Amino acid sequence: MREPKDPEYLSTLERGLKVLRSFDAAHPEMALSEVSVVTGLSPAVARRCLNTLVALGYVAQTGRRFLLRPEVLSFGSAYLSSMNIEQLAAVPLQGLRDQTGDSASLVVRSGRDILYVCHIPTQRRIRLGAGVGTRYPLHATSMGKVLLAFEGDAAIAAFLAEAPLARMTERTVTDPQAFRDRLRAIAERRYDSALDELDYGIVSVAVPVQDADGKVVAAINCSTSTTRISQDELVRTRLPLLRDAAAAIEAELRRWPMLARSLGAN
């Protein structure tokens, strides 16, 4: 991403996207004043952004309140179709799900979160749902820690300096030094497993996905309920399957370098 001081950087576009992204599960519908607070924009700027988005069909207005319209889905569907995500990742992940009964996912880093790019759900009921576009805190997930572990000391230091590690459960790693130690171990063994770190009752194991140059551009995992399997057994039985799936995805990335560049453009 270009620096905001870049003369080619369009701050008006940034503000419009900030308004668009301010709507989420916690803020599905907002008044102008609420949008201003959530985005940190002045009411005048927020109003102009909202009026533009309404005119373009991405936001609806009902009285004094605003909400997203289905048209915003065109952004995500355009990415998925143009980058052949289904062709690249769905088949290996589907194989993982069919072999294990676990959910299987591919994510990339998005700031302090992981962002789901492909997800094959389990047929069993789980506490936390996920789908394409779902975000979870990076530090509380096996895939997130795998991604950060391979970004280097400077990136890890910047991540820790930006904000505290929020506690999601009693097992979430929130101590910065313990977090660094965890990432160091992940880089050495090339996988991570998380138990009750994002939410209780969830166990997962994740491995990195590399591009042709050896850069980690994504992570995949298997995730299931702790009532089905122990953490040790999950790692023992799923890790070989995950590494095979990662190798299959990496082979596809070599065939589709455009997608590898897209996934790795953090």
Side-chain angles (χ1 to χ4, degrees):
M1 186 177 74
R2 296 189 178 189
E3 293 297 322
K5 293 183 179 180
D6 187 323
E8 296 296 315
Y9 190 90
L10 196 58
S11 59
T12 51
L13 177 58
E14 178 196 20
R15 293 170 190 144
L17 292 173
K18 184 179 289 187
V19 168
L20 199 61
R21 296 181 65 177
S22 67
F23 295 90
D24 55 22
H27 308 91
E29 185 181 62
M30 291 186 283
L32 170 61
S33 59
E34 294 172 289
V35 173
S36 176
V37 169
V38 172
T39 61
L41 300 173
S42 71
V45 171
R47 184 184 66 253
R48 290 196 295 270
C49 290
L50 285 167
N51 288 341
T52 302
L53 292 168
V54 168
L56 292 173
Y58 297 115
V59 169
Q61 182 175 4
T62 305
R64 294 180 176 272
R65 302 191 69 78
F66 299 86
L67 66 160
L68 295 181
R69 296 192 64 210
E71 188 65 26
V72 298
L73 294 172
S74 61
F75 292 115
S77 62
Y79 175 76
L80 295 174
S81 60
S82 66
M83 292 297 169
N84 298 292
I85 291 293
E86 289 292 322
Q87 180 176 343
L88 179 140
V91 172
L93 295 181
Q94 182 75 55
L96 275 174
R97 200 282 301 276
D98 293 346
Q99 288 176 283
T100 64
D102 307 336
S103 64
S105 309
L106 181 145
V107 305
V108 296
R109 181 181 174 186
S110 178
R112 297 186 66 81
D113 297 332
I114 57 169
L115 177 65
Y116 282 70
V117 177
C118 188
H119 178 70
I120 307 298
T122 179
Q123 296 177 344
R124 298 173 173 84
R125 186 174 181 179
I126 56 175
R127 285 178 58 91
L128 283 182
V132 174
T134 297
R135 308 171 73 96
Y136 286 124
L138 179 154
H139 71 281
T141 67
S142 57
M143 291 186 286
K145 285 190 281 289
V146 162
L147 290 170
L148 188 57
F150 292 95
E151 290 195 12
D153 292 340
I156 294 170
F159 181 85
L160 290 170
E162 186 178 11
L165 301 174
R167 184 176 298 280
M168 312 301 292
T169 73
E170 290 301 313
R171 295 185 63 94
T172 308
V173 180
T174 58
D175 176 72
Q177 187 55 53
F179 189 72
R180 287 192 186 91
D181 293 343
R182 175 81 166 266
L183 296 182
R184 190 176 300 112
I186 293 168
E188 292 176 358
R189 68 190 181 213
R190 301 189 67 80
Y191 78 88
D192 186 50
S193 178
L195 173 66
D196 294 343
E197 292 187 43
L198 178 64
D199 195 9
Y200 295 107
I202 299 175
V203 61
S204 65
V205 58
V207 300
V209 174
Q210 298 176 306
D211 65 12
D213 297 322
K215 177 186 176 183
V216 173
V217 295
I220 61 173
N221 85 339
C222 284
S223 178
T224 191
S225 168
T226 54
T227 61
R228 291 186 63 223
I229 194 170
S230 69
Q231 186 176 26
D232 289 343
E233 183 70 5
L234 183 82
V235 171
R236 186 184 69 80
T237 58
R238 275 47 165 184
L239 191 55
L241 301 177
L242 276 166
R243 285 175 168 159
D244 287 346
I249 294 172
E250 289 166 352
E252 288 298 310
L253 287 177
R254 289 191 291 272
R255 293 182 59 231
W256 299 93
M258 177 177 63
L259 177 55
R261 290 193 296 271
S262 173
L263 292 175
N266 294 333

Coordinates of all heavy atoms in Angstrom, one line a residue, residues 78-145:
A78 N -16.1 -10.0 -7.7 CA -15.2 -9.7 -8.8 C -13.8 -10.2 -8.5 O -13.1 -10.7 -9.3 CB -15.1 -8.2 -9.0
Y79 N -13.4 -10.1 -7.2 CA -12.1 -10.6 -6.8 C -12.0 -12.1 -7.0 O -11.1 -12.7 -7.6 CB -11.7 -10.2 -5.4 CG -10.4 -10.9 -4.9 CD1 -9.2 -10.4 -5.3 CD2 -10.4 -12.0 -4.1 CE1 -8.0 -11.0 -4.9 CE2 -9.3 -12.6 -3.7 CZ -8.0 -12.1 -4.1 OH -6.9 -12.7 -3.7
L80 N -13.0 -12.8 -6.4 CA -13.1 -14.3 -6.5 C -13.1 -14.8 -7.9 O -12.4 -15.8 -8.2 CB -14.3 -14.8 -5.7 CG -14.3 -14.5 -4.2 CD1 -15.6 -14.9 -3.6 CD2 -13.1 -15.2 -3.5
S81 N -13.8 -14.2 -8.8 CA -13.9 -14.7 -10.1 C -12.7 -14.3 -10.9 O -12.2 -15.1 -11.7 CB -15.2 -14.1 -10.8 OG -15.1 -12.7 -10.9
S82 N -12.1 -13.1 -10.7 CA -11.0 -12.7 -11.5 C -9.7 -13.5 -11.1 O -8.8 -13.6 -11.9 CB -10.8 -11.2 -11.4 OG -10.4 -10.8 -10.1
M83 N -9.6 -13.9 -9.9 CA -8.4 -14.5 -9.4 C -8.5 -16.1 -9.3 O -7.6 -16.7 -8.8 CB -8.1 -14.0 -8.0 CG -7.7 -12.5 -8.0 SD -6.1 -12.3 -9.0 CE -6.1 -10.5 -9.1
N84 N -9.6 -16.6 -9.8 CA -9.7 -18.1 -9.8 C -9.5 -18.8 -8.5 O -8.8 -19.8 -8.4 CB -8.7 -18.7 -10.8 CG -8.9 -18.2 -12.2 OD1 -9.9 -18.6 -12.9 ND2 -8.0 -17.4 -12.7
I85 N -10.0 -18.2 -7.4 CA -9.8 -18.7 -6.1 C -10.4 -20.1 -6.0 O -9.7 -21.0 -5.4 CB -10.5 -17.8 -5.0 CG1 -9.7 -16.5 -4.9 CG2 -10.5 -18.5 -3.7 CD1 -8.3 -16.6 -4.4
E86 N -11.6 -20.4 -6.5 CA -12.2 -21.7 -6.4 C -11.3 -22.7 -7.1 O -11.1 -23.8 -6.5 CB -13.5 -21.7 -7.1 CG -14.6 -20.9 -6.4 CD -15.0 -21.5 -5.0 OE1 -15.0 -22.8 -5.0 OE2 -15.2 -20.8 -4.1
Q87 N -10.7 -22.4 -8.3 CA -9.9 -23.4 -9.0 C -8.6 -23.7 -8.2 O -8.2 -24.8 -8.2 CB -9.6 -22.8 -10.4 CG -8.7 -23.8 -11.2 CD -8.5 -23.2 -12.6 OE1 -9.2 -22.4 -13.1 NE2 -7.5 -23.8 -13.3
L88 N -8.1 -22.7 -7.5 CA -6.8 -22.8 -6.9 C -6.9 -23.5 -5.5 O -6.2 -24.5 -5.2 CB -6.2 -21.5 -6.6 CG -4.8 -21.5 -5.9 CD1 -3.9 -20.4 -6.6 CD2 -5.0 -21.1 -4.4
A89 N -7.8 -23.1 -4.7 CA -7.8 -23.5 -3.3 C -9.0 -24.5 -2.9 O -8.8 -25.3 -2.0 CB -7.9 -22.3 -2.3
A90 N -10.1 -24.4 -3.6 CA -11.3 -25.1 -3.1 C -11.1 -26.6 -3.1 O -11.5 -27.3 -2.2 CB -12.5 -24.7 -3.9
V91 N -10.5 -27.1 -4.2 CA -10.3 -28.6 -4.3 C -9.5 -29.2 -3.2 O -9.9 -30.1 -2.6 CB -9.8 -28.9 -5.7 CG1 -9.5 -30.4 -5.8 CG2 -10.8 -28.6 -6.8
P92 N -8.2 -28.6 -3.0 CA -7.5 -29.1 -1.8 C -8.2 -29.0 -0.5 O -8.1 -29.9 0.4 CB -6.2 -28.3 -1.9 CG -6.1 -27.8 -3.3 CD -7.5 -27.6 -3.7
L93 N -8.8 -27.9 -0.3 CA -9.5 -27.7 1.0 C -10.7 -28.6 1.1 O -11.0 -29.1 2.2 CB -10.0 -26.2 1.2 CG -8.8 -25.2 1.3 CD1 -9.4 -23.8 1.4 CD2 -7.9 -25.5 2.4
Q94 N -11.4 -28.8 0.0 CA -12.5 -29.8 0.0 C -12.0 -31.2 0.4 O -12.7 -31.9 1.1 CB -13.2 -29.8 -1.3 CG -14.4 -30.7 -1.4 CD -15.7 -30.1 -0.7 OE1 -16.1 -29.0 -1.0 NE2 -16.2 -30.9 0.2
G95 N -10.9 -31.5 -0.1 CA -10.3 -32.8 0.2 C -10.0 -32.9 1.7 O -10.2 -34.0 2.3
L96 N -9.5 -31.9 2.2 CA -9.2 -31.9 3.7 C -10.5 -32.1 4.5 O -10.5 -32.9 5.4 CB -8.6 -30.5 4.1 CG -7.1 -30.3 4.0 CD1 -6.7 -28.9 4.3 CD2 -6.3 -31.3 4.9
R97 N -11.5 -31.3 4.1 CA -12.8 -31.5 4.8 C -13.3 -32.9 4.7 O -13.8 -33.5 5.7 CB -13.8 -30.4 4.3 CG -15.0 -30.1 5.2 CD -16.1 -31.2 5.2 NE -16.6 -31.4 3.9 CZ -17.6 -30.7 3.3 NH1 -18.1 -29.7 4.0 NH2 -18.1 -31.0 2.2
D98 N -13.3 -33.5 3.5 CA -13.8 -34.8 3.3 C -13.1 -35.9 4.0 O -13.6 -36.8 4.5 CB -13.9 -35.1 1.8 CG -14.8 -34.2 1.0 OD1 -15.7 -33.5 1.7 OD2 -14.7 -34.2 -0.2
Q99 N -11.7 -35.7 4.1 CA -10.9 -36.7 4.8 C -11.0 -36.6 6.4 O -10.9 -37.6 7.0 CB -9.4 -36.5 4.5 CG -9.1 -36.9 3.1 CD -7.6 -36.6 2.7 OE1 -7.3 -35.4 2.5 NE2 -6.8 -37.6 2.8
T100 N -11.3 -35.4 6.9 CA -11.2 -35.2 8.3 C -12.6 -34.9 9.0 O -12.7 -35.1 10.2 CB -10.3 -34.1 8.7 OG1 -10.8 -32.8 8.1 CG2 -8.9 -34.3 8.1
G101 N -13.5 -34.3 8.2 CA -14.7 -33.8 8.8 C -14.6 -32.4 9.4 O -15.5 -31.9 10.0
D102 N -13.4 -31.9 9.4 CA -13.1 -30.5 9.9 C -13.5 -29.5 8.9 O -13.6 -29.7 7.7 CB -11.6 -30.3 10.2 CG -11.0 -31.4 11.1 OD1 -11.8 -32.1 11.9 OD2 -9.8 -31.6 11.1
S103 N -13.6 -28.2 9.3 CA -13.7 -27.1 8.4 C -12.2 -26.9 7.9 O -11.3 -27.1 8.6 CB -14.3 -25.9 9.0 OG -13.5 -25.4 10.1
A104 N -12.1 -26.3 6.7 CA -10.8 -26.1 6.1 C -10.8 -24.7 5.5 O -11.8 -24.4 4.8 CB -10.4 -27.1 5.1
S105 N -9.8 -23.9 5.7 CA -9.8 -22.5 5.2 C -8.5 -22.0 4.7 O -7.4 -22.6 5.1 CB -10.3 -21.6 6.4 OG -11.4 -22.0 7.0
L106 N -8.6 -21.0 3.9 CA -7.4 -20.3 3.4 C -7.6 -18.8 3.8 O -8.6 -18.2 3.5 CB -7.1 -20.5 1.9 CG -5.9 -19.8 1.3 CD1 -5.3 -20.6 0.2 CD2 -6.2 -18.4 0.8
V107 N -6.6 -18.2 4.4 CA -6.7 -16.8 4.8 C -5.4 -16.0 4.4 O -4.4 -16.6 4.2 CB -6.9 -16.6 6.3 CG1 -8.1 -17.4 6.8 CG2 -5.6 -17.0 7.1
V108 N -5.5 -14.7 4.4 CA -4.4 -13.8 4.2 C -4.4 -12.8 5.4 O -5.4 -12.7 6.1 CB -4.5 -13.0 2.9 CG1 -4.3 -14.0 1.7 CG2 -5.7 -12.2 2.8
R109 N -3.4 -12.1 5.6 CA -3.3 -11.1 6.6 C -4.0 -9.8 6.1 O -3.8 -9.4 4.9 CB -1.9 -10.8 7.0 CG -1.8 -9.7 8.1 CD -0.4 -9.4 8.6 NE -0.4 -8.3 9.5 CZ 0.7 -7.7 10.0 NH1 1.9 -8.1 9.6 NH2 0.5 -6.7 10.8
S110 N -4.8 -9.2 6.9 CA -5.4 -7.9 6.6 C -5.2 -7.0 7.9 O -6.1 -7.0 8.8 CB -6.9 -8.0 6.2 OG -7.5 -6.8 6.0
G111 N -4.1 -6.3 7.9 CA -3.9 -5.4 9.1 C -3.6 -6.3 10.3 O -2.8 -7.1 10.3
R112 N -4.5 -6.1 11.3 CA -4.3 -6.9 12.6 C -5.3 -8.1 12.6 O -5.4 -8.8 13.6 CB -4.6 -6.0 13.8 CG -3.6 -4.9 13.9 CD -3.8 -4.1 15.2 NE -3.5 -4.9 16.4 CZ -2.3 -5.1 16.9 NH1 -1.3 -4.6 16.3 NH2 -2.2 -5.9 18.0
D113 N -5.9 -8.4 11.4 CA -6.8 -9.5 11.3 C -6.3 -10.5 10.3 O -5.4 -10.3 9.5 CB -8.2 -9.0 10.9 CG -8.8 -8.1 11.9 OD1 -8.5 -8.2 13.1 OD2 -9.6 -7.2 11.4
I114 N -7.0 -11.7 10.3 CA -6.9 -12.6 9.2 C -8.2 -12.4 8.4 O -9.2 -12.1 9.0 CB -6.8 -14.1 9.6 CG1 -7.9 -14.5 10.6 CG2 -5.4 -14.3 10.3 CD1 -8.0 -16.0 10.8
L115 N -8.1 -12.6 7.1 CA -9.2 -12.4 6.2 C -9.4 -13.7 5.5 O -8.5 -14.2 4.8 CB -9.0 -11.2 5.3 CG -10.1 -11.0 4.2 CD1 -11.4 -10.5 4.9 CD2 -9.6 -9.9 3.2
Y116 N -10.6 -14.3 5.6 CA -10.9 -15.6 4.9 C -11.1 -15.3 3.4 O -12.0 -14.5 3.0 CB -12.2 -16.2 5.5 CG -11.9 -16.9 6.8 CD1 -11.7 -16.2 8.0 CD2 -12.0 -18.3 6.9 CE1 -11.4 -16.8 9.2 CE2 -11.8 -19.0 8.1 CZ -11.5 -18.2 9.2 OH -11.3 -18.9 10.4
V117 N -10.4 -16.0 2.6 CA -10.5 -15.9 1.2 C -11.2 -17.2 0.6 O -11.8 -17.1 -0.4 CB -9.1 -15.8 0.5 CG1 -9.1 -15.8 -1.0 CG2 -8.4 -14.5 1.0
C118 N -11.0 -18.3 1.2 CA -11.7 -19.5 0.8 C -12.0 -20.3 2.1 O -11.2 -20.5 3.0 CB -10.9 -20.3 -0.1 SG -11.7 -21.8 -0.9
H119 N -13.2 -20.9 2.2 CA -13.6 -21.6 3.4 C -14.5 -22.8 3.0 O -15.5 -22.6 2.3 CB -14.3 -20.7 4.4 CG -14.8 -21.4 5.6 ND1 -14.0 -21.9 6.6 CD2 -16.1 -21.7 6.0 CE1 -14.7 -22.4 7.5 NE2 -16.0 -22.3 7.2
I120 N -14.2 -24.0 3.4 CA -15.0 -25.1 3.2 C -15.5 -25.5 4.6 O -14.8 -26.0 5.4 CB -14.3 -26.3 2.6 CG1 -13.6 -25.9 1.3 CG2 -15.2 -27.5 2.3 CD1 -14.5 -25.4 0.2
P121 N -16.8 -25.3 4.9 CA -17.3 -25.5 6.2 C -17.5 -27.0 6.6 O -17.7 -27.9 5.7 CB -18.7 -24.8 6.2 CG -19.1 -24.9 4.8 CD -17.9 -24.8 4.0
T122 N -17.4 -27.3 7.9 CA -17.7 -28.6 8.4 C -19.3 -28.8 8.3 O -20.0 -27.8 8.3 CB -17.2 -28.8 9.8 OG1 -17.6 -30.1 10.3 CG2 -17.8 -27.8 10.8
Q123 N -19.7 -30.0 8.3 CA -21.1 -30.3 8.3 C -21.7 -30.3 9.8 O -22.8 -30.5 10.0 CB -21.4 -31.6 7.6 CG -21.1 -31.5 6.1 CD -21.3 -32.8 5.4 OE1 -21.4 -33.8 6.0 NE2 -21.3 -32.7 4.1
R124 N -20.7 -30.2 10.7 CA -21.1 -30.2 12.1 C -21.3 -28.7 12.6 O -20.7 -27.8 12.1 CB -20.0 -30.9 13.0 CG -19.8 -32.3 12.6 CD -18.6 -32.9 13.4 NE -18.5 -34.3 13.2 CZ -17.9 -34.9 12.2 NH1 -17.3 -34.1 11.3 NH2 -17.8 -36.2 12.1
R125 N -22.1 -28.6 13.6 CA -22.3 -27.3 14.2 C -21.1 -26.8 15.0 O -20.6 -27.6 15.8 CB -23.6 -27.3 15.1 CG -24.0 -25.9 15.6 CD -25.3 -25.9 16.3 NE -25.7 -24.6 16.8 CZ -26.8 -24.3 17.4 NH1 -27.6 -25.3 17.7 NH2 -27.0 -23.1 17.8
I126 N -20.7 -25.6 14.8 CA -19.5 -25.1 15.6 C -19.9 -23.7 16.2 O -20.9 -23.1 15.8 CB -18.3 -24.9 14.7 CG1 -18.6 -24.0 13.5 CG2 -17.8 -26.3 14.2 CD1 -17.4 -23.7 12.6
R127 N -19.1 -23.3 17.2 CA -19.4 -22.1 17.9 C -19.2 -20.9 17.1 O -20.1 -20.0 17.1 CB -18.6 -22.0 19.2 CG -19.0 -23.0 20.3 CD -18.0 -22.8 21.5 NE -17.9 -21.5 22.0 CZ -18.7 -21.0 23.0 NH1 -19.6 -21.8 23.5 NH2 -18.6 -19.8 23.4
L128 N -18.1 -20.8 16.3 CA -17.8 -19.6 15.5 C -18.0 -20.0 14.1 O -17.3 -20.9 13.6 CB -16.4 -19.1 15.8 CG -16.2 -18.3 17.1 CD1 -14.7 -17.9 17.2 CD2 -17.1 -17.1 17.2
G129 N -18.8 -19.2 13.4 CA -19.0 -19.4 11.9 C -17.9 -18.7 11.2 O -17.3 -17.7 11.7
A130 N -17.7 -19.0 9.9 CA -16.8 -18.3 9.1 C -17.2 -18.5 7.6 O -18.0 -19.4 7.3 CB -15.4 -18.9 9.2
G131 N -16.8 -17.6 6.8 CA -17.1 -17.6 5.4 C -16.2 -16.6 4.7 O -15.4 -15.9 5.3
V132 N -16.2 -16.6 3.4 CA -15.4 -15.7 2.6 C -15.7 -14.2 3.1 O -16.8 -13.8 3.2 CB -15.6 -15.8 1.1 CG1 -14.9 -14.7 0.3 CG2 -15.3 -17.2 0.6
G133 N -14.6 -13.5 3.5 CA -14.8 -12.2 4.0 C -14.8 -12.1 5.5 O -14.6 -10.9 6.0
T134 N -14.9 -13.2 6.2 CA -14.9 -13.2 7.7 C -13.5 -12.7 8.1 O -12.5 -13.1 7.6 CB -15.2 -14.5 8.2 OG1 -16.5 -14.9 7.9 CG2 -15.1 -14.6 9.7
R135 N -13.5 -11.9 9.2 CA -12.2 -11.5 9.8 C -12.2 -11.9 11.3 O -13.2 -11.8 12.0 CB -12.1 -10.0 9.7 CG -12.3 -9.4 8.4 CD -12.4 -7.9 8.4 NE -11.1 -7.3 8.7 CZ -10.3 -6.8 7.7 NH1 -10.7 -6.9 6.5 NH2 -9.1 -6.3 8.0
Y136 N -11.0 -12.3 11.8 CA -10.8 -12.6 13.2 C -9.5 -12.0 13.6 O -8.6 -11.8 12.7 CB -10.8 -14.1 13.5 CG -12.2 -14.7 13.4 CD1 -12.5 -15.8 12.6 CD2 -13.2 -14.2 14.2 CE1 -13.7 -16.4 12.6 CE2 -14.5 -14.8 14.2 CZ -14.7 -15.8 13.4 OH -16.0 -16.4 13.3
P137 N -9.3 -11.7 14.9 CA -8.0 -11.1 15.3 C -6.8 -12.1 15.0 O -6.9 -13.2 15.4 CB -8.2 -10.9 16.8 CG -9.7 -10.8 17.0 CD -10.3 -11.7 16.0
L138 N -5.8 -11.5 14.4 CA -4.7 -12.4 13.9 C -4.0 -13.1 15.1 O -3.7 -14.3 15.0 CB -3.7 -11.4 13.2 CG -2.4 -12.0 12.7 CD1 -1.9 -11.1 11.5 CD2 -1.3 -12.1 13.7
H139 N -3.8 -12.4 16.2 CA -3.0 -13.0 17.3 C -3.7 -14.1 18.0 O -3.0 -14.9 18.7 CB -2.7 -11.9 18.3 CG -3.8 -11.4 19.1 ND1 -4.8 -10.6 18.6 CD2 -4.2 -11.8 20.4 CE1 -5.7 -10.4 19.6 NE2 -5.4 -11.1 20.6
A140 N -5.0 -14.3 17.8 CA -5.7 -15.3 18.6 C -6.0 -16.5 17.7 O -6.8 -17.4 18.1 CB -7.1 -14.7 19.1
T141 N -5.4 -16.6 16.5 CA -5.7 -17.7 15.6 C -4.4 -18.4 15.2 O -3.4 -17.8 15.1 CB -6.4 -17.2 14.3 OG1 -5.6 -16.4 13.6 CG2 -7.7 -16.5 14.7
S142 N -4.5 -19.7 14.9 CA -3.3 -20.4 14.4 C -2.9 -19.9 13.0 O -1.7 -19.7 12.8 CB -3.6 -21.9 14.3 OG -4.8 -22.2 13.4
M143 N -3.8 -19.6 12.1 CA -3.4 -19.1 10.8 C -2.8 -17.7 10.9 O -1.8 -17.4 10.2 CB -4.6 -19.1 9.9 CG -5.1 -20.4 9.5 SD -6.4 -20.4 8.2 CE -7.8 -19.9 9.3
G144 N -3.3 -16.9 11.8 CA -2.8 -15.5 11.9 C -1.3 -15.6 12.4 O -0.5 -14.8 11.9
K145 N -1.1 -16.4 13.4 CA 0.3 -16.5 14.0 C 1.2 -17.1 12.9 O 2.4 -16.7 12.9 CB 0.3 -17.3 15.3 CG -0.3 -16.5 16.4 CD -0.1 -17.2 17.8 CE -1.1 -18.3 18.0 NZ -2.4 -17.8 18.3

